[in-house]
Amino acid sequence: MTQHRRTIIDRDGVSLTVTEAGGSGSAVLLLHGLAGSSRELMPTADALTDRHRVLLLDQRGHGCSTRRPDDLSRDAFVADAVAVIERFAPDERVALVGQSMGAHTAFLTASRHSDLVSRLVMLEGHPAGSADPQDAADLGAFFASWPPPFADAAAARAFLGDSPLVDAWVADLEKTPSGLRPRFDADVMQAVITAVHEPRWPEWESLTVPTTAVFAHRGMFSPEQQAELVRRRPGTRILPLPDGTHDAHLDAFPAWLAVLREALA
């Protein structure tokens, strides 16, 4: 496995943790989903380094970046991605790859800064948002229900259950003197997803970079929702995964990697 190098950059008082996974070739920036971190995309990054130079960002409010930034707007997330591109790949256009919330950040960045982006790959991402504010409230309530600190990983699993997503959450727990704690706060997650749930069709329809949307067999989005992407933006490429859930990068990794390589080719 390639040696990773971690750098912390500052943008308007917010610390952003960037990992250079190594590799050579065209640059790729990976963006994780809500309540995750770049750690869960490290297997993807390592697999891509044979053909690409791979970067990962812990988005604000997540991972090892600033936990409680004042600005949780979509504009702030986009500006963070731009700052990473300009710092680590200043002389080239970068492929953006994101999952869920990270896909949303990626597509907004590509829409607004096409001069910086060579192509866009979205795993389980969509610009439609949600018309029901209860969706964000329910997510916030779920994260608020966690009873940290957990005494150890076994205690975390006993509460959270057993799944590849839980494996990623447990692996990312922060060690503190009192036990293991998540690297995010529930109210921050609720605020972030509330912004993600606002419809973004104008930005979608104005995309000019080559765009691939990847959807898992047991993912969050219906065939009708997937088709709407193409109807509103002809030329959008839809690549289905034969298995996997919304977190297919974790629970259908071989299929995800194969489709991603095709999308980046």
Side-chain angles (χ1 to χ4, degrees):
M1 185 173 65
T2 307
Q3 183 68 37
H4 299 158
R5 182 169 67 180
R6 179 179 290 181
T7 304
I8 298 175
I9 65 175
D10 180 88
R11 197 186 76 76
D12 294 342
V14 173
S15 294
L16 300 171
T17 299
V18 180
T19 300
E20 297 173 84
S24 60
S26 58
V28 177
L29 174 59
L30 303 182
L31 298 172
H32 61 81
L34 187 78
S37 78
S38 58
R39 179 191 295 269
E40 69 190 53
L41 286 169
M42 288 300 180
T44 298
D46 289 334
L48 293 178
T49 55
D50 62 337
R51 303 178 189 177
H52 301 279
R53 182 166 61 87
V54 186
L55 306 166
L56 307 97
L57 169 64
D58 280 355
Q59 296 178 83
R60 59 176 56 212
H62 296 76
C64 295
S65 293
T66 294
R67 186 181 184 108
R68 300 188 63 84
D70 293 333
D71 189 352
L72 294 170
S73 67
R74 294 280 75 206
D75 290 348
F77 280 77
V78 168
D80 292 343
V82 169
V84 172
I85 294 170
E86 292 180 338
R87 166 75 178 271
F88 292 91
D91 300 318
E92 62 181 300
R93 297 168 73 201
V94 173
L96 292 182
V97 179
Q99 185 263 341
S100 191
M101 177 201 77
H104 197 270
T105 303
F107 109 74
L108 289 179
T109 304
S111 179
R112 299 177 188 180
H113 301 276
S114 59
D115 58 315
L116 300 178
V117 180
S118 61
R119 64 186 59 246
L120 168 66
V121 183
M122 301 166 60
L123 172 60
E124 286 286 309
H126 205 283
S130 172
D132 187 354
Q134 192 60 42
D135 290 342
D138 288 345
L139 267 176
F142 167 65
F143 291 127
S145 74
W146 292 21
F150 297 108
D152 51 28
R157 292 181 189 282
F159 178 81
L160 295 171
D162 182 20
S163 72
L165 178 58
V166 169
D167 290 343
W169 277 334
V170 171
D172 211 31
L173 291 171
E174 180 182 13
K175 293 181 180 180
T176 73
S178 58
L180 301 176
R181 294 183 177 273
R183 295 182 183 272
F184 57 82
D185 291 327
D187 61 327
V188 173
M189 297 301 97
Q190 183 172 337
V192 170
I193 203 63
T194 296
V196 171
H197 282 174
E198 296 177 7
R200 296 286 185 166
W201 288 118
E203 290 96 330
W204 177 255
E205 293 163 356
S206 67
L207 267 172
T208 59
V209 303
T211 298
T212 302
V214 182
F215 293 101
H217 181 66
R218 292 176 286 121
M220 286 182 59
F221 300 100
S222 68
E224 292 75 20
Q225 289 173 308
Q226 297 175 33
E228 188 174 14
L229 296 183
V230 180
R231 180 177 65 81
R232 287 181 176 259
R233 184 186 177 276
T236 301
R237 188 183 190 191
I238 304 292
L239 290 181
L241 292 177
D243 197 7
T245 68
H246 187 65
D247 301 290
H249 61 301
L250 300 173
D251 57 35
F253 180 76
W256 155 240
L257 184 60
V259 165
L260 177 58
R261 284 192 183 280
E262 180 180 347
L264 292 175

